[in-house]
Amino acid sequence: MKLALAQLRIESGDVDGNVERARAAVAEAAADGADLVALPEIFNVGYFAFEGYARRAESVAGPTVSALAESAREHGVGVLAGSIVEDLEASRADGVDTPAAEGLANASVFLDRSGERRAVYRKHHLFGYGSAEQDLLTPGEAVPTVEFGDHTVGVTTCYDLRFPSLYRELVDAGATMVLVPSAWPYPRVEHWRLFPQTRAVENLLYVGAVNGVGTFEDAELLGRSAIYDPWGTTLSSAGDEAALVTADVDADRVAEVRSEFPALQDRRR
């Protein structure tokens, strides 16, 4: 299976433009033979455009995800609709299974090749450290996986990378690949390199960490999206410009590595 990470240039508050750039990236990746395309965190509004969250929030059945579902159908590819600011009440009104909480969530939506919504992952660990995320959003609870091609795919989001127990939960659910939509800014370049690679090594699975690029009032996204194999080897990566990052990700390779180096069997619970 060929995975593509769409490292998009994200313009603060330019929802229409950001969505069109996302759709163009899906089309380009599909033309290049991708089976699955992943987008960055809050790619439509822009992660650091906090003042626009409430105004721009929408259902996971709303216009942004619907546009990406159309792209998935048109090109016959799976799409991880990075994440959006979800209005939980609007999602419920659209018949989407949502947590009982009200307010807003940071939601990633997995769409299959026919554009059907297969899973919604709502970010568990909300960033503090001067960010408004903890004040504006409600954390998720569910940890879904999706069968796609020969992989069992899990999703986490950005700051989740710092909490390894979440990835163990995905391993226990059978995950062979984890996609990580992110909005990782300068100056924490070394952290961005370290955490996705470490999660791949310690869980013996593929990790696709997809970041955006672009400048906001007080932050700049650092790009450097990358795909790591179950040994932690970098299969493909980008710099700090808009790019597609692609690699073949073979689920049989996960089984081989876990057989050759069965560290997961030595876990003490």
Side-chain angles (χ1 to χ4, degrees), residues 37-126:
V37 187
L39 306 174
E41 181 181 19
I42 307 189
F43 68 92
N44 59 345
V45 177
Y47 174 84
F48 290 96
F50 298 121
E51 73 287 346
Y53 275 22
R55 185 173 69 257
R56 302 288 192 176
E58 58 186 84
S59 164
V60 295
T64 294
V65 176
S66 294
L68 271 299
E70 182 179 333
S71 292
R73 286 191 298 272
E74 179 181 354
H75 301 291
V77 297
V79 175
L80 179 67
S83 73
I84 66 168
V85 181
E86 179 192 15
D87 182 328
L88 290 166
E89 186 175 348
S91 288
R92 275 194 292 275
D94 284 335
V96 179
D97 183 22
T98 63
E102 296 183 357
L104 309 178
N106 185 334
S108 294
V109 184
F110 195 105
L111 304 165
D112 66 18
R113 294 179 190 269
S114 65
E116 292 297 313
R117 187 176 60 248
R118 295 281 304 283
V120 178
Y121 172 75
R122 298 174 176 92
K123 187 176 183 179
H124 279 212
H125 300 94
L126 303 181

Side-chain angles (χ1 to χ4, degrees), residues 10 40-42 47-48 157-158 181-185 192 210-212 221-222:
I10 299 170
E41 181 181 19
I42 307 189
Y47 174 84
F48 290 96
T157 308
C158 201
S182 300
W184 206 282
W192 173 245
V210 54
N211 200 16
L221 300 179
L222 57 82

Side-chain angles (χ1 to χ4, degrees), residues 161 164 193-204 207 228 232:
L161 280 164
R193 289 173 173 151
L194 172 67
F195 288 124
Q197 187 174 41
T198 301
R199 299 293 88 86
V201 170
E202 68 191 4
N203 295 295
L204 303 172
V207 172
Y228 301 95

Side-chain angles (χ1 to χ4, degrees), residues 123-127 134 156-169 195 199 202-203:
K123 187 176 183 179
H124 279 212
H125 300 94
L126 303 181
F127 193 59
Q134 288 185 358
T156 66
T157 308
C158 201
Y159 190 47
D160 284 332
L161 280 164
R162 294 179 180 269
F163 301 90
S165 59
L166 180 58
Y167 294 80
R168 290 300 204 209
E169 194 169 344
F195 288 124
R199 299 293 88 86
E202 68 191 4
N203 295 295

